[in-house]
Amino acid sequence: MASRARGVLIAGNWKMNHSLRETQAFFSALPELPKAVGLTVAVFPPFLSLQRALDLAPVQGILVGAQNVHWERSGAFTGEVSGPMLEEIGVRWALVGHSERRQYFGESDLTAHNRAASLLEQGFHVILCIGETRAEREIGRTQEVLVNQIRGAFGDSGDAPTEATARMARHLGGRLVIAYEPVWAIGTGLTATPEQAEEAHLMVRAELAARFTPPVAQKTQILYGGSVTPQNVDQLLACPNIDGALVGGASLKPENFAALVSAGARALTKS
Ligand code: PGA
């Protein structure tokens, strides 16, 4: 499969930034975005700003997703938001397993699995985030960490794939996207080089091929995230196994976000 057949996804993870007022200002100042066949653009605002983003983003064809969603549909889970609540306002995308959730809020492969499996069942598009820490990379454990995170997130015990694993895997190449985000590159200004990112994406694809099938691995979109900027995005998107970018800091300013989306369109037309 030609790499660009998977399309390009440019996603802005706003994290805990952009209040209602700032969300309004972001969309008011956003330049007209280029359109290209195969290009998908999404933003992930904080919960309180979702409705405002939903009012303003569709004019430019931008999708709106949540940064986190509980796996149960309702109940006694103080501080959480459920899939049906998001669906009611029109949110159909979600991030799962982001390293900041893992680092600061005790998230694990198990909670990533619970969220991803439930959201996929509920019809959501899910971006599942994985990535190694600096220490893990330095001692040569990158591949092992990525493989373990994939297995954990798929609810795969390591022997024969379980029923839950198979149910999730059916969405690869469809509503389930993987984002490789090396923890050492997130918010640090230290981007993985295109070679390092491509190498890790190949590891992810190889694991999906081994665990599921090579065609499933080939059609899975794998995004890169970690200090992506308008300056380095073209080089990253030029790599055959990088199918888009999940961008934090550089997605917050309208002109930067537009530049990232333009790079996505360029990557598609170059191929
Ligand atoms: P960053 O964040 O672009 O600010 O490094 C990326 C992410 O956490 O998704």
Side-chain angles (χ1 to χ4, degrees), residues 189-192 194 224 226-237 260:
L190 288 173
T191 322
Y224 170 77
S227 298
V228 176
T229 64
Q231 288 70 43
N232 61 27
V233 67
D234 287 291
Q235 271 186 302
L236 289 159
L237 293 181
L260 294 163

Side-chain angles (χ1 to χ4, degrees), residues 13 15 98-100 181 185-189 225-228 246-250:
N13 174 13
K15 310 192 179 185
H98 191 280
S99 67
E100 285 153 14
E181 298 205 306
I186 295 180
T188 57
S227 298
V228 176
L246 179 56
V247 190

Side-chain angles (χ1 to χ4, degrees), residues 41-234:
V41 180
V43 291
F44 293 79
F47 287 123
L48 263 181
S49 301
L50 283 173
Q51 183 65 69
R52 188 60 50 90
L54 285 161
D55 293 339
L56 302 169
V59 189
Q60 292 241 47
I62 304 171
L63 300 161
V64 177
Q67 294 170 22
N68 189 27
V69 188
H70 198 268
W71 51 90
E72 295 292 343
R73 293 166 197 229
S74 65
F77 301 101
T78 302
E80 293 288 320
V81 169
S82 73
M85 291 172 183
L86 291 163
E87 183 175 4
E88 190 179 303
I89 63 165
V91 170
R92 302 305 283 143
W93 284 70
L95 300 182
V96 166
H98 191 280
S99 67
E100 285 153 14
R101 299 292 320 167
R102 295 177 193 254
Q103 248 181 310
Y104 307 134
F105 302 100
E107 295 259 353
S108 61
D109 289 334
L110 178 62
T111 55
H113 169 67
N114 289 341
R115 291 182 206 281
S118 172
L119 286 167
L120 289 167
E121 293 284 306
Q122 294 180 59
F124 279 78
H125 293 252
V126 170
I127 301 181
L128 170 67
C129 305
I130 56 172
E132 82 287 1
T133 62
R134 179 194 281 273
E136 287 162 344
R137 173 165 282 267
E138 280 170 359
I139 57 168
R141 290 191 52 212
T142 299
Q143 179 162 18
E144 180 192 333
V145 169
L146 297 180
V147 165
N148 285 338
Q149 287 181 343
I150 291 169
R151 290 189 184 170
F154 276 85
D156 186 339
S157 57
D159 304 324
T162 62
E163 177 57 26
T165 308
R167 268 205 305 276
M168 272 186 69
R170 279 203 284 274
H171 297 289
L172 288 167
R175 287 190 278 109
L176 177 54
V177 174
I178 295 185
Y180 167 63
E181 298 205 306
V183 178
W184 49 273
I186 295 180
T188 57
L190 288 173
T191 322
T193 63
E195 294 72 27
Q196 286 171 321
E198 173 70 6
E199 185 186 32
H201 283 224
L202 278 170
M203 289 173 189
V204 173
R205 228 179 270 292
E207 172 59 16
L208 297 177
R211 217 56 197 157
F212 307 113
T213 65
V216 163
Q218 275 311 309
K219 67 182 184 179
T220 300
Q221 262 189 328
I222 307 176
L223 314 182
Y224 170 77
S227 298
V228 176
T229 64
Q231 288 70 43
N232 61 27
V233 67
D234 287 291

Side-chain angles (χ1 to χ4, degrees), residues 25-40:
F26 175 90
F27 286 106
S28 305
L30 189 62
E32 187 167 338
L33 301 180
K35 304 270 181 297
V37 176
L39 177 66
T40 306

